[in-house]
């Protein structure tokens, strides 16, 4: 995927919340952290679980299956 794609309107993702969407056939999780927006792949690299069903806490999204956490700013694994 190259370039920008419209995924949602700003008011569709409240601060502290996330929104699952599909862009060019790929699941994407849009996250609003204090008015900053981030987009990450909506898949846990640990077991392919849907991150969008997990909890967003600050800059970390937690996989609902095993608790793996990822930084929404860069996708870095934070735990385990």
């Amino acid at each position: 995927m190259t370039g920008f794609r419209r995924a949602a309107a700003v008011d569709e993702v409240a601060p502290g919340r996330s929104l699952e969407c599909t862009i060019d056939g790929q699941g994407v999780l849009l996250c609003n952290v204090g008015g900053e927006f981030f987009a990450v792949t909506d898949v846990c690299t640990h077991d392919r679980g849907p991150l969008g069903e997990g909890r967003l806490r600050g800059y970390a999204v937690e996989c609902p299956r095993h608790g793996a956490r990822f930084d929404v700013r860069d996708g870095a694994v934070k735990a385990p």
Side-chain angles (χ1 to χ4, degrees), residues 9 14 16 24 26 33 38 40 43 45 52 54-56 59 71 76 78:
D24 292 342
Q26 180 175 340
V33 181
F38 304 92
V40 294
V43 176
T45 57
R55 187 173 295 180
L56 179 64
Y59 292 103
D71 191 316
K78 301 311 241 177

Side-chain angles (χ1 to χ4, degrees), residues 3-31:
F4 289 95
R5 301 288 191 275
R6 186 186 191 306
V10 170
D11 63 356
E12 290 181 74
V13 189
R17 306 289 297 189
S18 60
L19 176 71
E20 297 172 87
C21 60
T22 302
I23 300 173
D24 292 342
Q26 180 175 340
V28 174
L29 185 65
L30 301 177
C31 303

Side-chain angles (χ1 to χ4, degrees), residues 16 18 50-58 60-64 68-70:
S18 60
L51 290 179
E53 292 179 13
R55 187 173 295 180
L56 179 64
R57 291 187 179 179
V61 63
E62 184 175 300
C63 177
R69 290 190 311 273
F70 303 88

